[in-house]
Amino acid sequence: MSQAIQPQASVRGKIVCPHCWRDFAVYDVLYIASHPDLVGDPRLGPEHPRRFLPTRFTFDCAALDAKGMPCRRTACPHCHLEIPRAILELKPRVVSVIGAPACGKSYFITAQSWALRTVLCSQFCVSFADADPLINQRLNDYESLLFLNPNEDDIVGLPKTETFGDFYNSVLFGGQAVQYLKPFIFTLKPTANHPNARGATHLGRVLCLYDNAGESFLPGQEHVMQPVTGHLAASDLFMFLFDPTQDVRIRRALSTVTSGDGDKTAAIRNRQATFRQDSVLNEAAQRITRGYRFTAKSQRPPLIVVVTKVDVWRALLGEIDFSPPWRFIERVGLAGVEIDTIEAVSQQVRSLLLQLTPEIVNTAEDLCDRVAYIPVSATGTAPVFDETRNVWGFRPRSLKPIWTEVPLLYYFAKWERGIIGTTRTSRKSEQTEKTSELAAPAPSPTDE
């Protein structure tokens, strides 16, 4: 099989499946049959094309199925689910998004991916694309609904992430169906104008992002037949979404500063704190510590506490500049992330949370040594009530996301050298901005 893969592009020795998180040698990868008669897979059911380990190839390295049809689509040898070609070629970075029900995970992920598609290319000379449009179809539909909607004045909303149905893949093992969460998978690679363009294959990453239903993180919901939060054990970055408007203490503080704003007052009043958010984070922490990779705190990945709906509660922070935290440096030809600016805001948010919700800070910092607190708003505006349908939603025309791209920019600039640079000067400084060297990262023990 090596002859079938290597002539097209270099591949990695060990692959981690983005569906079941099992690792396997690249030469064990299965191919998906192309011939219409070759249907019926023992793992996926009678309607799915057969998976097979090829023994014959074409001159241009396509595998041949049992009927002689060339095949290029690949699948995991364990769960048989399709994996994008990029998984075989680029190092993976797994991002686990954690949060209580109704904290805004789907809105945040949608606004984040929409912003990154533009910002990474235009400012940092990094391409950000779907590894497979079919795998990301749900997210693409969400982006179109919110940001490419021709009916800009309609009141729209994203559906709740469920614990069953189309959000999951069902795989049969010994007659038992196991449910795996469908990931969103992207590629990040330096473009031709990037200073490290020649190292695109080495520096490029596959970003696997997981959006669980909030109920999946509630105590007692983990099940062997539904290992839907198994990605926590393979994660390179944890994002915990904390919704201040669900916390009664913050709601009380907000009532004194938003009394003159009807939309925000209504949005706050509409929020119902159904679950304790620190319990959700603590349950996720228990699952992380049980993961074989993260027994020691010092070895755990960074945790970014993404504090949502900042458009509603920003008055509690005082004066903060939410303009983009990066600087475009003409002599370099790309932007650098203002790490100092983001970390200064992080300290302000941490101080506020420590005052009003100290258990969130305590739980987060007990879990990980590297913790940042980044405020965002996926919509930038309060929801409006649709009386005809008796639901809350947003008008696409009014959407103005705030800092949704910042958590991932910060992660890649801070901990993934070589792709996104940084600038260390303050916005108020009179000195000339300097962008840090985009050095190639040292090999990681987990990267092959």
Side-chain angles (χ1 to χ4, degrees):
M1 186 176 293
S2 60
Q3 295 178 353
I5 295 177
Q6 289 179 344
Q8 296 183 52
S10 60
V11 295
R12 302 170 53 248
K14 185 178 74 172
I15 309 300
V16 177
C17 175
H19 304 287
C20 67
W21 311 293
R22 294 277 292 268
D23 57 14
F24 57 91
V26 66
Y27 304 118
D28 291 330
V29 68
L30 301 182
Y31 279 75
I32 301 174
S34 297
H35 197 281
D37 290 344
L38 298 176
V39 294
D41 186 82
R43 288 275 190 267
L44 304 180
E47 72 278 11
H48 289 268
R50 193 174 303 167
R51 274 58 171 164
F52 67 99
L53 188 65
T55 57
R56 300 180 301 152
F57 304 92
T58 66
F59 286 109
D60 61 349
C61 303
L64 292 174
D65 63 25
K67 297 287 187 177
M69 293 285 289
C71 311
R72 299 188 183 276
R73 295 164 58 200
T74 54
C76 168
H78 178 68
C79 67
H80 288 203
L81 293 170
E82 184 170 2
I83 54 177
R85 172 79 193 191
I87 292 285
L88 308 180
E89 300 171 357
L90 304 176
K91 296 174 185 176
R93 289 298 177 259
V94 175
V95 178
S96 298
V97 181
I98 307 163
C103 70
K105 292 188 298 299
S106 294
Y107 280 96
F108 166 70
I109 291 171
T110 302
Q112 175 182 250
S113 63
W114 177 252
L116 288 173
R117 292 183 195 278
T118 300
V119 168
L120 282 174
C121 183
S122 64
Q123 300 295 316
F124 298 96
C125 298
V126 173
S127 68
F128 181 78
D130 298 319
D132 186 322
L134 184 60
I135 290 178
N136 289 0
Q137 184 62 55
R138 175 164 60 96
L139 186 59
N140 290 334
D141 291 342
Y142 289 175
E143 290 181 16
S144 297
L145 180 66
L146 295 182
F147 301 108
L148 293 173
N149 197 321
N151 303 312
E152 293 185 313
D153 291 314
D154 286 355
I155 299 177
V156 300
L158 299 183
K160 181 186 181 303
T161 303
E162 300 290 350
T163 58
F164 58 88
D166 292 340
F167 297 92
Y168 304 86
N169 288 307
S170 182
V171 180
L172 295 172
F173 293 98
Q176 294 290 326
V178 178
Q179 303 296 314
Y180 291 110
L181 178 68
K182 292 181 180 180
F184 301 126
I185 307 179
F186 306 91
T187 59
L188 291 89
K189 292 186 289 187
T191 65
N193 295 327
H194 193 282
N196 286 336
R198 291 185 177 180
T201 301
H202 176 64
L203 294 174
R205 298 289 184 267
V206 172
L207 184 67
C208 302
L209 193 148
Y210 297 87
D211 174 24
N212 283 93
E215 289 82 359
S216 298
F217 291 107
L218 297 180
Q221 296 302 307
E222 191 176 29
H223 192 275
V224 67
M225 293 293 101
Q226 291 184 307
V228 294
T229 61
H231 51 83
L232 293 172
S235 188
D236 299 288
L237 171 65
F238 305 121
M239 286 190 189
F240 172 65
L241 268 62
F242 174 66
D243 179 2
T245 68
Q246 291 193 41
D247 190 281
V248 64
R249 294 159 294 184
I250 296 180
R251 287 157 62 93
R252 288 171 183 158
L254 280 172
S255 65
T256 64
V257 296
T258 60
S259 57
D261 191 326
D263 289 340
K264 289 182 180 179
T265 302
I268 295 169
R269 186 170 57 246
N270 181 58
R271 305 300 292 156
Q272 298 295 326
T274 308
F275 305 98
R276 283 191 54 170
Q277 295 181 79
D278 63 302
S279 295
V280 172
L281 179 57
N282 188 60
E283 173 65 19
Q286 295 300 315
R287 299 182 192 183
I288 291 167
T289 55
R290 289 196 294 266
Y292 70 95
R293 284 183 58 194
F294 307 133
T295 54
K297 179 182 177 183
S298 61
Q299 298 175 348
R300 293 173 196 157
L303 166 63
I304 296 180
V305 179
V306 179
V307 191
T308 62
K309 303 179 176 71
V310 70
D311 59 297
V312 176
W313 58 271
R314 65 186 299 173
L316 296 178
L317 281 176
E319 293 296 326
I320 285 188
D321 182 6
F322 281 109
S323 58
W326 58 78
R327 308 284 272 183
F328 193 87
I329 313 302
E330 294 291 343
R331 62 181 177 79
V332 181
L334 73 167
V337 176
E338 293 179 325
I339 293 291
D340 293 341
T341 297
I342 297 172
E343 291 180 347
V345 173
S346 173
Q347 282 299 317
Q348 286 184 258
V349 175
R350 180 186 184 275
S351 296
L352 178 65
L353 296 182
L354 195 59
Q355 176 187 352
L356 296 176
T357 58
E359 71 281 359
I360 295 295
V361 176
N362 292 338
T363 304
E365 296 180 1
D366 184 60
L367 173 62
C368 298
D369 284 336
R370 296 171 289 172
V371 183
Y373 303 84
I374 299 180
V376 307
S377 175
T379 62
T381 184
V384 294
F385 188 68
D386 186 344
E387 295 182 356
T388 60
R389 294 182 295 164
N390 195 35
V391 294
W392 291 83
F394 299 89
R395 289 189 172 90
R397 184 188 301 277
S398 302
L399 295 177
K400 296 180 178 61
I402 300 171
W403 272 35
T404 53
E405 69 276 30
V406 172
L408 277 179
L409 288 178
Y410 177 75
Y411 166 76
F412 277 100
K414 179 83 172 179
W415 292 298
E416 291 278 339
R417 297 177 62 203
I419 302 177
I420 296 176
T422 64
T423 179
R424 288 292 179 182
T425 50
S426 169
R427 294 178 180 180
K428 298 180 180 179
S429 174
E430 297 297 328
Q431 301 177 4
T432 303
E433 299 92 349
K434 295 182 179 179
T435 300
S436 67
E437 181 183 4
L438 284 164
S444 167
T446 61
D447 292 332
E448 296 188 11

